[in-house]
Amino acid sequence: MNRVYVCNCFGVTEDQVKKHADDGACTPRQIASACKAGTDCGSCVRRIQALLGRGACSRRDLVEQGRPALTADPSAVVRLSGAA
């Protein structure tokens, strides 16, 4: 079996990312919630985005699934860090 690792920090393979995508993960953040890929050094986030493809889930699909969709309104962005 040939394993292609996407996230070396957590040992996550392409097949695992694809399985999480098949199970409904549409964004790198949702992949991170499922398997931690992309949450350490972050070097795999672009590869995860490529595996998910552009527009893997539309904003409407995310809302219909009860998942947060990104907003285009910058005033609605919640800052996670303490910086202003």
Side-chain angles (χ1 to χ4, degrees), residues 13-64:
T13 65
E14 279 188 1
D15 287 340
Q16 288 172 301
V17 171
K18 290 175 183 178
K19 183 188 178 320
H20 292 303
D22 289 344
D23 290 342
C26 300
T27 65
R29 183 170 286 194
Q30 290 170 347
I31 295 292
S33 293
C35 63
K36 294 187 179 180
T39 61
D40 194 22
C41 78
S43 66
C44 60
V45 173
R46 286 192 176 170
R47 180 69 185 134
I48 292 168
Q49 289 171 328
L51 288 170
L52 293 173
R54 285 188 186 245
C57 285
S58 70
R59 289 173 61 179
R60 180 182 305 214
D61 290 341
L62 292 172
V63 171
E64 287 175 358

Side-chain angles (χ1 to χ4, degrees), residues 59 63 68-78:
R59 289 173 61 179
V63 171
L70 295 176
T71 179
D73 181 3
S75 66
V77 173
V78 176

